[in-house]
PDB file of all heavy atoms in Angstrom:
ATOM      1  N   SER A  13       0.506   7.790 -13.758  1.00 97.00           N
ATOM      2  CA  SER A  13       0.560   8.201 -15.165  1.00 97.00           C
ATOM      3  C   SER A  13      -0.184   7.226 -16.063  1.00 97.00           C
ATOM      4  O   SER A  13      -0.662   6.181 -15.623  1.00 97.00           O
ATOM      5  CB  SER A  13       2.019   8.303 -15.611  1.00 97.00           C
ATOM      6  OG  SER A  13       2.722   9.224 -14.827  1.00 97.00           O
ATOM      7  N   SER A  14      -0.238   7.567 -17.346  1.00 97.00           N
ATOM      8  CA  SER A  14      -0.897   6.734 -18.346  1.00 97.00           C
ATOM      9  C   SER A  14      -0.346   5.312 -18.322  1.00 97.00           C
ATOM     10  O   SER A  14       0.865   5.100 -18.270  1.00 97.00           O
ATOM     11  CB  SER A  14      -0.686   7.345 -19.737  1.00 97.00           C
ATOM     12  OG  SER A  14      -1.313   6.547 -20.712  1.00 97.00           O
ATOM     13  N   GLY A  15      -1.275   4.351 -18.297  1.00 97.00           N
ATOM     14  CA  GLY A  15      -0.888   2.954 -18.289  1.00 97.00           C
ATOM     15  C   GLY A  15      -0.606   2.399 -16.906  1.00 97.00           C
ATOM     16  O   GLY A  15      -0.399   1.201 -16.748  1.00 97.00           O
ATOM     17  N   GLN A  16      -0.604   3.253 -15.894  1.00 97.00           N
ATOM     18  CA  GLN A  16      -0.354   2.809 -14.525  1.00 97.00           C
ATOM     19  C   GLN A  16      -1.665   2.672 -13.762  1.00 97.00           C
ATOM     20  O   GLN A  16      -2.641   3.351 -14.066  1.00 97.00           O
ATOM     21  CB  GLN A  16       0.542   3.796 -13.784  1.00 97.00           C
ATOM     22  CG  GLN A  16       1.936   3.918 -14.338  1.00 97.00           C
ATOM     23  CD  GLN A  16       2.773   4.908 -13.549  1.00 97.00           C
ATOM     24  OE1 GLN A  16       2.267   5.923 -13.081  1.00 97.00           O
ATOM     25  NE2 GLN A  16       4.056   4.614 -13.397  1.00 97.00           N
ATOM     26  N   SER A  17      -1.652   1.804 -12.754  1.00 97.00           N
ATOM     27  CA  SER A  17      -2.799   1.690 -11.862  1.00 97.00           C
ATOM     28  C   SER A  17      -2.278   1.532 -10.443  1.00 97.00           C
ATOM     29  O   SER A  17      -1.160   1.063 -10.228  1.00 97.00           O
ATOM     30  CB  SER A  17      -3.690   0.505 -12.246  1.00 97.00           C
ATOM     31  OG  SER A  17      -2.963  -0.701 -12.131  1.00 97.00           O
ATOM     32  N   ALA A  18      -3.097   1.951  -9.483  1.00 97.00           N
ATOM     33  CA  ALA A  18      -2.714   1.851  -8.080  1.00 97.00           C
ATOM     34  C   ALA A  18      -3.947   1.544  -7.263  1.00 97.00           C
ATOM     35  O   ALA A  18      -5.002   2.141  -7.465  1.00 97.00           O
ATOM     36  CB  ALA A  18      -2.071   3.160  -7.622  1.00 97.00           C
ATOM     37  N   ASP A  19      -3.811   0.611  -6.331  1.00 98.00           N
ATOM     38  CA  ASP A  19      -4.935   0.211  -5.490  1.00 98.00           C
ATOM     39  C   ASP A  19      -4.625   0.540  -4.029  1.00 98.00           C
ATOM     40  O   ASP A  19      -3.522   0.256  -3.545  1.00 98.00           O
ATOM     41  CB  ASP A  19      -5.192  -1.287  -5.631  1.00 98.00           C
ATOM     42  CG  ASP A  19      -6.395  -1.736  -4.823  1.00 98.00           C
ATOM     43  OD1 ASP A  19      -7.517  -1.282  -5.123  1.00 98.00           O
ATOM     44  OD2 ASP A  19      -6.215  -2.521  -3.872  1.00 98.00           O
ATOM     45  N   GLY A  20      -5.579   1.162  -3.345  1.00 97.00           N
ATOM     46  CA  GLY A  20      -5.465   1.375  -1.915  1.00 97.00           C
ATOM     47  C   GLY A  20      -4.515   2.478  -1.486  1.00 97.00           C
ATOM     48  O   GLY A  20      -4.032   2.468  -0.362  1.00 97.00           O
ATOM     49  N   ILE A  21      -4.232   3.426  -2.367  1.00 97.00           N
ATOM     50  CA  ILE A  21      -3.375   4.555  -1.990  1.00 97.00           C
ATOM     51  C   ILE A  21      -4.036   5.348  -0.869  1.00 97.00           C
ATOM     52  O   ILE A  21      -5.239   5.612  -0.910  1.00 97.00           O
ATOM     53  CB  ILE A  21      -3.113   5.486  -3.192  1.00 97.00           C
ATOM     54  CG1 ILE A  21      -2.189   4.817  -4.195  1.00 97.00           C
ATOM     55  CG2 ILE A  21      -2.534   6.815  -2.758  1.00 97.00           C
ATOM     56  CD1 ILE A  21      -1.855   5.682  -5.393  1.00 97.00           C
ATOM     57  N   VAL A  22      -3.238   5.737   0.125  1.00 97.00           N
ATOM     58  CA  VAL A  22      -3.716   6.597   1.200  1.00 97.00           C
ATOM     59  C   VAL A  22      -3.045   7.957   1.044  1.00 97.00           C
ATOM     60  O   VAL A  22      -1.815   8.054   1.064  1.00 97.00           O
ATOM     61  CB  VAL A  22      -3.388   6.009   2.586  1.00 97.00           C
ATOM     62  CG1 VAL A  22      -3.814   6.981   3.686  1.00 97.00           C
ATOM     63  CG2 VAL A  22      -4.072   4.658   2.760  1.00 97.00           C
ATOM     64  N   VAL A  23      -3.862   9.004   0.869  1.00 97.00           N
ATOM     65  CA  VAL A  23      -3.349  10.369   0.748  1.00 97.00           C
ATOM     66  C   VAL A  23      -3.578  11.052   2.087  1.00 97.00           C
ATOM     67  O   VAL A  23      -4.708  11.301   2.486  1.00 97.00           O
ATOM     68  CB  VAL A  23      -4.054  11.146  -0.382  1.00 97.00           C
ATOM     69  CG1 VAL A  23      -3.448  12.543  -0.527  1.00 97.00           C
ATOM     70  CG2 VAL A  23      -3.981  10.378  -1.697  1.00 97.00           C
ATOM     71  N   GLN A  24      -2.484  11.338   2.780  1.00 95.00           N
ATOM     72  CA  GLN A  24      -2.598  11.964   4.089  1.00 95.00           C
ATOM     73  C   GLN A  24      -2.850  13.461   3.958  1.00 95.00           C
ATOM     74  O   GLN A  24      -2.652  14.045   2.894  1.00 95.00           O
ATOM     75  CB  GLN A  24      -1.322  11.714   4.895  1.00 95.00           C
ATOM     76  CG  GLN A  24      -1.111  10.254   5.228  1.00 95.00           C
ATOM     77  CD  GLN A  24       0.160  10.015   6.026  1.00 95.00           C
ATOM     78  OE1 GLN A  24       1.084  10.819   6.012  1.00 95.00           O
ATOM     79  NE2 GLN A  24       0.203   8.890   6.728  1.00 95.00           N
ATOM     80  N   GLN A  25      -3.279  14.083   5.050  1.00 94.00           N
ATOM     81  CA  GLN A  25      -3.512  15.526   5.066  1.00 94.00           C
ATOM     82  C   GLN A  25      -2.252  16.233   4.563  1.00 94.00           C
ATOM     83  O   GLN A  25      -1.148  15.966   5.034  1.00 94.00           O
ATOM     84  CB  GLN A  25      -3.856  15.981   6.476  1.00 94.00           C
ATOM     85  CG  GLN A  25      -4.123  17.458   6.586  1.00 94.00           C
ATOM     86  CD  GLN A  25      -4.496  17.859   8.007  1.00 94.00           C
ATOM     87  OE1 GLN A  25      -4.936  17.033   8.789  1.00 94.00           O
ATOM     88  NE2 GLN A  25      -4.311  19.115   8.329  1.00 94.00           N
ATOM     89  N   GLY A  26      -2.434  17.112   3.569  1.00 94.00           N
ATOM     90  CA  GLY A  26      -1.305  17.835   2.998  1.00 94.00           C
ATOM     91  C   GLY A  26      -0.619  17.111   1.865  1.00 94.00           C
ATOM     92  O   GLY A  26       0.282  17.656   1.218  1.00 94.00           O
ATOM     93  N   GLY A  27      -1.028  15.871   1.586  1.00 96.00           N
ATOM     94  CA  GLY A  27      -0.474  15.104   0.466  1.00 96.00           C
ATOM     95  C   GLY A  27      -1.252  15.375  -0.801  1.00 96.00           C
ATOM     96  O   GLY A  27      -2.412  15.787  -0.771  1.00 96.00           O
ATOM     97  N   ASN A  28      -0.609  15.129  -1.960  1.00 97.00           N
ATOM     98  CA  ASN A  28      -1.222  15.416  -3.253  1.00 97.00           C
ATOM     99  C   ASN A  28      -1.045  14.232  -4.201  1.00 97.00           C
ATOM    100  O   ASN A  28       0.079  13.765  -4.401  1.00 97.00           O
ATOM    101  CB  ASN A  28      -0.579  16.655  -3.881  1.00 97.00           C
ATOM    102  CG  ASN A  28      -0.760  17.888  -3.036  1.00 97.00           C
ATOM    103  OD1 ASN A  28      -1.811  18.507  -3.050  1.00 97.00           O
ATOM    104  ND2 ASN A  28       0.261  18.236  -2.253  1.00 97.00           N
TER     105      ASN A  28
END
Side-chain angles (χ1 to χ4, degrees):
S13 301
S14 180
Q16 295 180 324
S17 62
D19 183 63
I21 289 181
V22 176
V23 183
Q24 295 180 338
Q25 180 179 338
N28 299 280

